[in-house]
Amino acid sequence: MIANFSISCVHIFIVLYILAIEVKYGLAGHGEFRRDYTYTPEAKGWIKFHRVPAPWLEARLKCYYEGAVLMSPVNEQLYAVMRNLMLSRADASFTGVQSLTSTGDYISIEGINLLQMPIQWAKGEPDNLNDTERCLAILPDGSISDTKCEQVRTYMCYKEKTGDETITECGTSDKEYTLDNRTGSCYKFHPDCVTWWRAHMACSSEGGYLVIINSEFEAKLLNERYATKKIKCHELRFIHVGFLNPYSDRAYWFTVDGKRLEDAGYDRWAQNEPNNVAGTENCGSLLRNNEGFNDWPCNDYLPFVCEIPIHNRKN
Ligand SMILES: [Ca+2]
Ligand SMILES: [Ca+2]
Ligand SMILES: [Ca+2]
């Protein structure tokens, strides 16, 4: 009995000791960056394998919007992790290494020169076939080859653990999202001037959506928060918001979560809008002076706001 009790005490002590070590060294917090990323101790960070192929430039941007970088074999450890991930693959995946700006001068997203990387070339590579191959891919056997950046390939995004990845009340480690308790949503203003499509991609990648206005209150809130934010776009009057009209007959405006605009809770158009100037205005924008919606070309460059809903909508 005493022996059993002693063993139990020893077990409890060991468990507590391990827990203490985990808390001290942050081992318990591995899942804290993003739910769609997996912590990999050998990589000292989180990795997401993107199975939906994309051209290199899109892949780089996708990782960036996710708060990560397009992964490269910048050291032995990361190269080993990447080779391991490729074992079950049938086709090559992009790495973050490219020579887009200078033929043959390869550099990773982190700015590390290929000469510093411990890679093994595939047979006959690099060959810059027809002077068209500026991006490096890793093959299922772990070797590296140069390949067309425009081709679509799978890829890996990598986030190095820095200890600053705490998830906020907005459910993200992105500190630029701030909660408004009155609407129950978190918002992030992007001053970048991008197309509606790019804004939509950025918000989705960040774990939210291009803002959907659900009330007069929310429209007013956005204008109060962001009307005076400095932007460098050629067009200063509007921001992209989350609705569009994808049909040529312009009969239907849909929010990015698939509902009819009039069912979202706010569908006030500014005076004389929507006016579909030159038949090109298929995307939603909000006037920054709180006058309501405007239809605007999807391919025009505007700033935008992303939304992550946290609580049930109150306003
Ligand atoms: Ca090649
Ligand atoms: Ca909303
Ligand atoms: Ca318009």
Side-chain angles (χ1 to χ4, degrees):
M1 192 68 179
I2 290 172
N4 282 345
F5 177 76
S6 301
I7 289 168
S8 298
C9 281
V10 169
H11 281 158
I12 291 168
F13 177 77
I14 291 171
V15 168
L16 288 176
Y17 183 70
I18 291 170
L19 281 175
I21 289 175
E22 288 193 342
V23 170
K24 183 174 179 186
Y25 294 102
L27 300 176
H30 292 157
E32 284 183 353
F33 172 52
R34 289 174 60 116
R35 287 187 197 95
D36 51 342
Y37 277 64
T38 305
Y39 187 77
T40 308
E42 302 81 23
K44 295 189 175 65
W46 292 266
I47 295 169
K48 176 174 176 180
F49 196 102
H50 279 266
R51 289 181 172 76
V52 179
W56 190 90
L57 284 172
E58 291 295 305
R60 190 260 298 268
L61 208 49
K62 188 79 180 162
C63 295
Y64 169 74
Y65 284 137
E66 288 181 352
V69 291
L70 188 55
M71 190 171 181
S72 298
V74 295
N75 56 43
E76 285 286 1
Q77 291 77 16
L78 293 193
Y79 189 28
V81 169
M82 292 179 82
R83 287 200 307 267
N84 199 35
L85 284 167
M86 292 307 294
L87 286 175
S88 58
R89 306 298 309 175
D91 296 313
S93 296
F94 276 129
T95 72
V97 187
Q98 49 78 25
S99 65
L100 282 163
T101 42
S102 173
T103 311
D105 294 328
Y106 291 100
I107 193 160
S108 77
I109 304 291
E110 298 91 339
I112 296 172
N113 193 301
L114 182 69
L115 299 175
Q116 313 296 323
M117 298 182 212
I119 58 138
Q120 185 194 338
W121 289 107
K123 194 159 181 267
E125 303 286 353
D127 60 355
N128 189 20
L129 192 66
N130 300 325
D131 194 22
T132 58
E133 300 187 326
R134 305 293 180 91
C135 289
L136 298 192
I138 179 166
L139 278 57
D141 70 0
S143 63
I144 302 287
S145 73
D146 57 356
T147 177
K148 278 192 177 125
C149 305
E150 299 78 18
Q151 196 161 346
V152 293
R153 293 192 181 283
T154 55
Y155 55 100
M156 295 156 245
C157 299
Y158 171 65
K159 168 72 174 77
E160 185 181 14
K161 185 177 173 68
T162 62
D164 192 31
E165 292 88 10
T166 322
I167 301 281
T168 68
E169 59 189 348
C170 293
T172 169
S173 55
D174 187 337
K175 310 288 185 295
E176 289 186 47
Y177 276 91
T178 54
L179 175 65
D180 188 287
N181 274 315
R182 295 164 297 180
T183 61
S185 278
C186 294
Y187 304 96
K188 174 179 174 180
F189 182 77
H190 285 257
D192 328 318
C193 313
V194 299
T195 67
W196 187 95
W197 306 107
R198 186 65 79 209
H200 177 52
M201 170 188 169
C203 295
S204 299
S205 302
E206 288 179 354
Y209 48 73
L210 192 53
V211 66
I212 297 173
I213 320 275
N214 301 105
S215 63
E216 279 281 348
F217 179 85
E218 195 174 25
K220 194 158 166 277
L221 176 77
L222 293 185
N223 282 290
E224 280 172 6
R225 277 193 179 199
Y226 306 124
T228 56
K229 286 268 187 190
K230 287 236 174 340
I231 52 172
K232 290 180 180 167
C233 312
H234 73 96
E235 175 55 68
L236 304 176
R237 293 172 294 169
F238 324 115
I239 60 170
H240 288 302
V241 291
F243 70 95
L244 81 165
N245 190 323
Y247 304 106
S248 55
D249 58 13
R250 294 178 60 81
Y252 305 106
W253 289 95
F254 284 108
T255 55
V256 287
D257 61 354
K259 299 189 184 74
R260 293 286 299 271
L261 181 64
E262 53 266 43
D263 295 331
Y266 178 90
D267 65 343
R268 183 159 65 88
W269 291 94
Q271 198 174 12
N272 301 324
E273 302 291 348
N275 58 357
N276 194 22
V277 173
T280 60
E281 302 191 331
N282 287 85
C283 279
S285 68
L286 180 73
L287 270 73
R288 299 177 81 203
N289 64 2
N290 200 28
E291 283 182 9
F293 287 144
N294 169 36
D295 56 346
W296 196 246
C298 302
N299 287 327
D300 197 27
Y301 308 118
L302 297 181
F304 58 103
V305 173
C306 299
E307 175 179 8
I308 298 177
I310 303 299
H311 309 304
N312 287 333
R313 185 158 50 84
K314 293 168 189 157
N315 270 288

